[in-house]
Amino acid sequence: MAFDPQQLGHFTGTEQYYRISRQHVLTDGTKYLAESAGAYWLMDAIASHLAEIGTEDWFVVVRMQVTDSAALMIYEDGNGFEHARQAIPYTDFPMDEITIYCCWDGLHWVLMLPSEY
């Protein structure tokens, strides 16, 4: 499946959840991103930081910016409070930036595209 960034905006809601760990699931949109852009590493990085952040703040925004094949991931609460940041020294991620919303549903962190929120 070839990655088409234009397809990301077409995902609204989800029909199914896809487990990537005991406490982390993907939506249809984040699964498409992970599979077609070769970005399961991104979902794993997000899941590992969410485990460290905990569930007291049930909503986390992850913004990743790619510059010259390196990336910076910033984890925040959506109101400007930064939980964590991670530098990725090399990536072939096909976009200059991506935002992933993460919501705690009481049992799982749900990783979703903003259009699926």
Side-chain angles (χ1 to χ4, degrees):
M1 164 184 335
F3 177 65
D4 179 2
Q6 300 297 325
Q7 292 298 316
L8 296 179
H10 295 283
F11 290 98
T12 57
T14 195
E15 292 183 13
Q16 187 172 343
Y17 294 111
Y18 307 89
R19 183 178 304 278
I20 58 168
S21 79
R22 188 172 58 82
Q23 286 191 321
H24 302 88
V25 296
L26 302 179
T27 58
D28 294 333
T30 50
K31 183 176 185 282
Y32 169 80
L33 178 66
E35 284 186 348
S36 64
Y40 273 105
W41 65 268
L42 173 61
M43 304 309 160
D44 289 342
I46 292 171
S48 68
H49 276 284
L50 291 173
E52 293 176 14
I53 291 169
T55 59
E56 186 173 315
D57 192 353
W58 63 272
F59 182 77
V60 175
V61 177
V62 181
R63 300 180 200 287
M64 184 175 76
Q65 296 180 330
V66 179
T67 307
D68 298 327
S69 298
L72 177 64
M73 297 174 65
I74 299 174
Y75 302 75
E76 61 180 51
D77 68 355
N79 294 316
F81 175 77
E82 188 175 307
H83 291 288
R85 62 176 46 211
Q86 179 180 8
I88 308 293
Y90 174 78
T91 182
D92 60 356
F93 190 73
M95 298 174 66
D96 292 335
E97 61 185 12
I98 189 75
T99 298
I100 304 291
Y101 287 177
C102 308
C103 295
W104 177 251
D105 71 2
L107 295 174
H108 309 98
W109 278 105
V110 180
L111 285 63
M112 65 187 76
L113 299 174
S115 60
E116 294 177 299
Y117 183 70

